[in-house]
Each structure stands twice: as structure tokens, then as C-alpha cells.
mmCIF file of all heavy atoms in Angstrom:
data_model
loop_
_atom_site.group_PDB
_atom_site.id
_atom_site.type_symbol
_atom_site.label_atom_id
_atom_site.label_comp_id
_atom_site.label_asym_id
_atom_site.label_seq_id
_atom_site.Cartn_x
_atom_site.Cartn_y
_atom_site.Cartn_z
ATOM 1 N N ASN A 1 80.121 -29.632 -39.353
ATOM 2 C CA ASN A 1 78.785 -30.021 -38.902
ATOM 3 C C ASN A 1 77.760 -28.895 -39.002
ATOM 4 O O ASN A 1 76.597 -29.076 -38.620
ATOM 5 C CB ASN A 1 78.840 -30.522 -37.458
ATOM 6 C CG ASN A 1 79.745 -31.725 -37.318
ATOM 7 O OD1 ASN A 1 79.766 -32.601 -38.183
ATOM 8 N ND2 ASN A 1 80.507 -31.786 -36.232
ATOM 9 N N GLY A 2 78.206 -27.742 -39.488
ATOM 10 C CA GLY A 2 77.280 -26.630 -39.625
ATOM 11 C C GLY A 2 76.845 -26.036 -38.313
ATOM 12 O O GLY A 2 75.798 -25.391 -38.205
ATOM 13 N N GLY A 3 77.652 -26.247 -37.287
ATOM 14 C CA GLY A 3 77.307 -25.734 -35.972
ATOM 15 C C GLY A 3 77.576 -24.246 -35.844
ATOM 16 O O GLY A 3 78.244 -23.628 -36.677
ATOM 17 N N GLN A 4 77.050 -23.674 -34.788
ATOM 18 C CA GLN A 4 77.297 -22.277 -34.481
ATOM 19 C C GLN A 4 78.559 -22.157 -33.628
ATOM 20 O O GLN A 4 79.200 -23.144 -33.276
ATOM 21 C CB GLN A 4 76.103 -21.689 -33.742
ATOM 22 C CG GLN A 4 74.828 -21.662 -34.570
ATOM 23 C CD GLN A 4 74.926 -20.730 -35.767
ATOM 24 O OE1 GLN A 4 75.154 -19.534 -35.620
ATOM 25 N NE2 GLN A 4 74.746 -21.274 -36.962
ATOM 26 N N GLY A 5 78.896 -20.942 -33.288
ATOM 27 C CA GLY A 5 79.991 -20.728 -32.361
ATOM 28 C C GLY A 5 79.618 -21.231 -30.977
ATOM 29 O O GLY A 5 78.456 -21.539 -30.697
ATOM 30 N N GLN A 6 80.599 -21.302 -30.099
ATOM 31 C CA GLN A 6 80.331 -21.774 -28.744
ATOM 32 C C GLN A 6 81.398 -21.243 -27.797
ATOM 33 O O GLN A 6 82.397 -20.659 -28.225
ATOM 34 C CB GLN A 6 80.278 -23.292 -28.693
ATOM 35 C CG GLN A 6 81.527 -23.996 -29.188
ATOM 36 C CD GLN A 6 81.361 -25.509 -29.201
ATOM 37 O OE1 GLN A 6 81.143 -26.108 -28.157
ATOM 38 N NE2 GLN A 6 81.473 -26.115 -30.389
ATOM 39 N N VAL A 7 81.176 -21.469 -26.510
ATOM 40 C CA VAL A 7 82.103 -21.027 -25.477
ATOM 41 C C VAL A 7 82.940 -22.206 -25.013
ATOM 42 O O VAL A 7 82.422 -23.297 -24.751
ATOM 43 C CB VAL A 7 81.345 -20.421 -24.275
ATOM 44 C CG1 VAL A 7 82.334 -20.029 -23.168
ATOM 45 C CG2 VAL A 7 80.529 -19.215 -24.717
ATOM 46 N N ILE A 8 84.238 -22.002 -24.905
ATOM 47 C CA ILE A 8 85.170 -23.010 -24.383
ATOM 48 C C ILE A 8 85.628 -22.520 -23.024
ATOM 49 O O ILE A 8 86.236 -21.454 -22.908
ATOM 50 C CB ILE A 8 86.372 -23.190 -25.326
ATOM 51 C CG1 ILE A 8 85.891 -23.611 -26.712
ATOM 52 C CG2 ILE A 8 87.360 -24.192 -24.759
ATOM 53 C CD1 ILE A 8 86.867 -23.277 -27.805
ATOM 54 N N ASP A 9 85.341 -23.281 -22.005
ATOM 55 C CA ASP A 9 85.616 -22.908 -20.614
ATOM 56 C C ASP A 9 86.785 -23.757 -20.106
ATOM 57 O O ASP A 9 86.632 -24.954 -19.884
ATOM 58 C CB ASP A 9 84.353 -23.142 -19.776
ATOM 59 C CG ASP A 9 84.501 -22.759 -18.307
ATOM 60 O OD1 ASP A 9 85.595 -22.283 -17.921
ATOM 61 O OD2 ASP A 9 83.525 -22.946 -17.554
ATOM 62 N N VAL A 10 87.938 -23.140 -19.934
ATOM 63 C CA VAL A 10 89.132 -23.843 -19.454
ATOM 64 C C VAL A 10 89.526 -23.275 -18.098
ATOM 65 O O VAL A 10 89.762 -22.072 -17.964
ATOM 66 C CB VAL A 10 90.314 -23.705 -20.434
ATOM 67 C CG1 VAL A 10 91.570 -24.356 -19.854
ATOM 68 C CG2 VAL A 10 89.969 -24.346 -21.783
ATOM 69 N N ALA A 11 89.601 -24.141 -17.085
ATOM 70 C CA ALA A 11 90.083 -23.754 -15.762
ATOM 71 C C ALA A 11 91.518 -24.221 -15.608
ATOM 72 O O ALA A 11 91.867 -25.339 -16.006
ATOM 73 C CB ALA A 11 89.207 -24.376 -14.673
ATOM 74 N N LEU A 12 92.347 -23.387 -15.023
ATOM 75 C CA LEU A 12 93.756 -23.735 -14.867
ATOM 76 C C LEU A 12 93.929 -25.048 -14.114
ATOM 77 O O LEU A 12 94.694 -25.928 -14.529
ATOM 78 C CB LEU A 12 94.494 -22.612 -14.135
ATOM 79 C CG LEU A 12 94.708 -21.308 -14.899
ATOM 80 C CD1 LEU A 12 95.238 -20.229 -13.954
ATOM 81 C CD2 LEU A 12 95.672 -21.498 -16.053
ATOM 82 N N HIS A 13 93.224 -25.198 -13.000
ATOM 83 C CA HIS A 13 93.424 -26.412 -12.191
ATOM 84 C C HIS A 13 92.938 -27.655 -12.928
ATOM 85 O O HIS A 13 93.496 -28.741 -12.758
ATOM 86 C CB HIS A 13 92.738 -26.271 -10.833
ATOM 87 C CG HIS A 13 91.250 -26.428 -10.854
ATOM 88 N ND1 HIS A 13 90.411 -25.421 -11.264
ATOM 89 C CD2 HIS A 13 90.456 -27.476 -10.528
ATOM 90 C CE1 HIS A 13 89.166 -25.834 -11.175
ATOM 91 N NE2 HIS A 13 89.161 -27.083 -10.734
ATOM 92 N N GLU A 14 91.909 -27.513 -13.760
ATOM 93 C CA GLU A 14 91.410 -28.672 -14.496
ATOM 94 C C GLU A 14 92.374 -29.105 -15.591
ATOM 95 O O GLU A 14 92.511 -30.302 -15.878
ATOM 96 C CB GLU A 14 90.030 -28.358 -15.080
ATOM 97 C CG GLU A 14 88.953 -28.244 -14.013
ATOM 98 C CD GLU A 14 87.632 -27.734 -14.533
ATOM 99 O OE1 GLU A 14 87.558 -27.316 -15.711
ATOM 100 O OE2 GLU A 14 86.652 -27.740 -13.755
ATOM 101 N N ALA A 15 93.041 -28.127 -16.217
ATOM 102 C CA ALA A 15 94.037 -28.468 -17.231
ATOM 103 C C ALA A 15 95.184 -29.250 -16.610
ATOM 104 O O ALA A 15 95.717 -30.192 -17.214
ATOM 105 C CB ALA A 15 94.552 -27.195 -17.904
ATOM 106 N N VAL A 16 95.571 -28.866 -15.394
ATOM 107 C CA VAL A 16 96.617 -29.616 -14.677
ATOM 108 C C VAL A 16 96.099 -30.992 -14.278
ATOM 109 O O VAL A 16 96.759 -32.019 -14.496
ATOM 110 C CB VAL A 16 97.096 -28.829 -13.441
ATOM 111 C CG1 VAL A 16 98.061 -29.666 -12.611
ATOM 112 C CG2 VAL A 16 97.750 -27.516 -13.866
ATOM 113 N N PHE A 17 94.918 -31.023 -13.710
ATOM 114 C CA PHE A 17 94.336 -32.290 -13.251
ATOM 115 C C PHE A 17 94.191 -33.302 -14.389
ATOM 116 O O PHE A 17 94.329 -34.507 -14.199
ATOM 117 C CB PHE A 17 92.981 -32.007 -12.602
ATOM 118 C CG PHE A 17 92.254 -33.225 -12.133
ATOM 119 C CD1 PHE A 17 92.801 -34.067 -11.173
ATOM 120 C CD2 PHE A 17 91.006 -33.548 -12.657
ATOM 121 C CE1 PHE A 17 92.123 -35.200 -10.740
ATOM 122 C CE2 PHE A 17 90.322 -34.679 -12.228
ATOM 123 C CZ PHE A 17 90.884 -35.506 -11.271
ATOM 124 N N ASN A 18 93.942 -32.793 -15.591
ATOM 125 C CA ASN A 18 93.726 -33.677 -16.745
ATOM 126 C C ASN A 18 94.966 -34.480 -17.118
ATOM 127 O O ASN A 18 94.857 -35.476 -17.836
ATOM 128 C CB ASN A 18 93.259 -32.861 -17.955
ATOM 129 C CG ASN A 18 92.681 -33.723 -19.050
ATOM 130 O OD1 ASN A 18 91.991 -34.701 -18.786
ATOM 131 N ND2 ASN A 18 92.958 -33.379 -20.298
ATOM 132 N N VAL A 19 96.138 -34.071 -16.654
ATOM 133 C CA VAL A 19 97.363 -34.808 -16.983
ATOM 134 C C VAL A 19 97.932 -35.524 -15.756
ATOM 135 O O VAL A 19 99.100 -35.931 -15.750
ATOM 136 C CB VAL A 19 98.433 -33.881 -17.602
ATOM 137 C CG1 VAL A 19 97.923 -33.262 -18.889
ATOM 138 C CG2 VAL A 19 98.869 -32.790 -16.629
ATOM 139 N N MET A 20 97.109 -35.711 -14.741
ATOM 140 C CA MET A 20 97.590 -36.325 -13.503
ATOM 141 C C MET A 20 97.474 -37.846 -13.491
ATOM 142 O O MET A 20 97.477 -38.482 -12.429
ATOM 143 C CB MET A 20 96.865 -35.723 -12.297
ATOM 144 C CG MET A 20 97.166 -34.240 -12.081
ATOM 145 S SD MET A 20 98.927 -33.874 -12.035
ATOM 146 C CE MET A 20 99.380 -34.687 -10.532
ATOM 147 N N GLU A 21 97.325 -38.419 -14.670
ATOM 148 C CA GLU A 21 97.412 -39.877 -14.834
ATOM 149 C C GLU A 21 96.444 -40.611 -13.906
ATOM 150 O O GLU A 21 95.255 -40.308 -13.883
ATOM 151 C CB GLU A 21 98.868 -40.319 -14.647
ATOM 152 C CG GLU A 21 99.820 -39.637 -15.621
ATOM 153 C CD GLU A 21 101.280 -39.926 -15.350
ATOM 154 O OE1 GLU A 21 101.604 -40.536 -14.320
ATOM 155 O OE2 GLU A 21 102.116 -39.521 -16.181
ATOM 156 N N SER A 22 96.926 -41.544 -13.112
ATOM 157 C CA SER A 22 96.031 -42.392 -12.295
ATOM 158 C C SER A 22 95.914 -41.895 -10.862
ATOM 159 O O SER A 22 95.561 -42.664 -9.957
ATOM 160 C CB SER A 22 96.546 -43.831 -12.296
ATOM 161 O OG SER A 22 97.876 -43.897 -11.783
ATOM 162 N N LEU A 23 96.187 -40.628 -10.636
ATOM 163 C CA LEU A 23 96.193 -40.083 -9.276
ATOM 164 C C LEU A 23 94.882 -40.377 -8.533
ATOM 165 O O LEU A 23 94.889 -40.945 -7.434
ATOM 166 C CB LEU A 23 96.435 -38.574 -9.341
ATOM 167 C CG LEU A 23 96.627 -37.848 -8.015
ATOM 168 C CD1 LEU A 23 97.970 -38.193 -7.410
ATOM 169 C CD2 LEU A 23 96.486 -36.335 -8.209
ATOM 170 N N VAL A 24 93.762 -39.988 -9.093
ATOM 171 C CA VAL A 24 92.479 -40.180 -8.436
ATOM 172 C C VAL A 24 91.969 -41.617 -8.544
ATOM 173 O O VAL A 24 91.434 -42.159 -7.561
ATOM 174 C CB VAL A 24 91.440 -39.167 -8.962
ATOM 175 C CG1 VAL A 24 90.018 -39.574 -8.583
ATOM 176 C CG2 VAL A 24 91.748 -37.778 -8.401
ATOM 177 N N PRO A 25 92.105 -42.291 -9.706
ATOM 178 C CA PRO A 25 91.686 -43.702 -9.730
ATOM 179 C C PRO A 25 92.381 -44.561 -8.680
ATOM 180 O O PRO A 25 91.762 -45.462 -8.095
ATOM 181 C CB PRO A 25 92.057 -44.145 -11.150
ATOM 182 C CG PRO A 25 91.945 -42.900 -11.961
ATOM 183 C CD PRO A 25 92.424 -41.809 -11.057
ATOM 184 N N GLU A 26 93.656 -44.290 -8.403
ATOM 185 C CA GLU A 26 94.364 -45.050 -7.369
ATOM 186 C C GLU A 26 93.770 -44.769 -5.983
ATOM 187 O O GLU A 26 93.641 -45.681 -5.157
ATOM 188 C CB GLU A 26 95.854 -44.705 -7.388
ATOM 189 C CG GLU A 26 96.586 -45.268 -8.597
ATOM 190 C CD GLU A 26 98.000 -44.730 -8.744
ATOM 191 O OE1 GLU A 26 98.408 -43.904 -7.895
ATOM 192 O OE2 GLU A 26 98.684 -45.119 -9.699
ATOM 193 N N TYR A 27 93.387 -43.524 -5.761
ATOM 194 C CA TYR A 27 92.763 -43.199 -4.481
ATOM 195 C C TYR A 27 91.379 -43.834 -4.380
ATOM 196 O O TYR A 27 90.996 -44.386 -3.333
ATOM 197 C CB TYR A 27 92.651 -41.688 -4.318
ATOM 198 C CG TYR A 27 91.921 -41.279 -3.063
ATOM 199 C CD1 TYR A 27 92.518 -41.416 -1.815
ATOM 200 C CD2 TYR A 27 90.622 -40.771 -3.130
ATOM 201 C CE1 TYR A 27 91.838 -41.059 -0.655
ATOM 202 C CE2 TYR A 27 89.936 -40.418 -1.987
ATOM 203 C CZ TYR A 27 90.548 -40.563 -0.744
ATOM 204 O OH TYR A 27 89.868 -40.224 0.391
ATOM 205 N N SER A 28 90.643 -43.787 -5.504
ATOM 206 C CA SER A 28 89.293 -44.358 -5.499
ATOM 207 C C SER A 28 89.308 -45.874 -5.289
ATOM 208 O O SER A 28 88.516 -46.417 -4.528
ATOM 209 C CB SER A 28 88.590 -44.024 -6.816
ATOM 210 O OG SER A 28 87.309 -44.606 -6.877
#
């Protein structure tokens, strides 16, 4: 796409949370 460089911000807890399936939707 001819884009420039960029910053990738990864938080440890978010990487874990991203694989927690329906944990929060079930609570919601």
C-alpha cells in the first residue's frame, strides 16, 4: 500500500485476553 513504518503496541494482558473466547460476552 506504499505506507510508512508504524508502531505496533502489544500488551501482555491483551494478548492473553484476545484468546479468552466468550469469557466477556457471556458476562455481558
Side-chain angles (χ1 to χ4, degrees):
N1 300 321
Q4 296 295 301
Q6 57 184 299
V7 177
I8 301 157
D9 181 1
V10 176
L12 289 170
H13 76 281
E14 290 171 352
V16 174
F17 178 61
N18 195 38
V19 299
M20 295 308 293
E21 302 173 352
S22 59
L23 186 72
V24 165
E26 288 170 0
Y27 176 73
S28 177

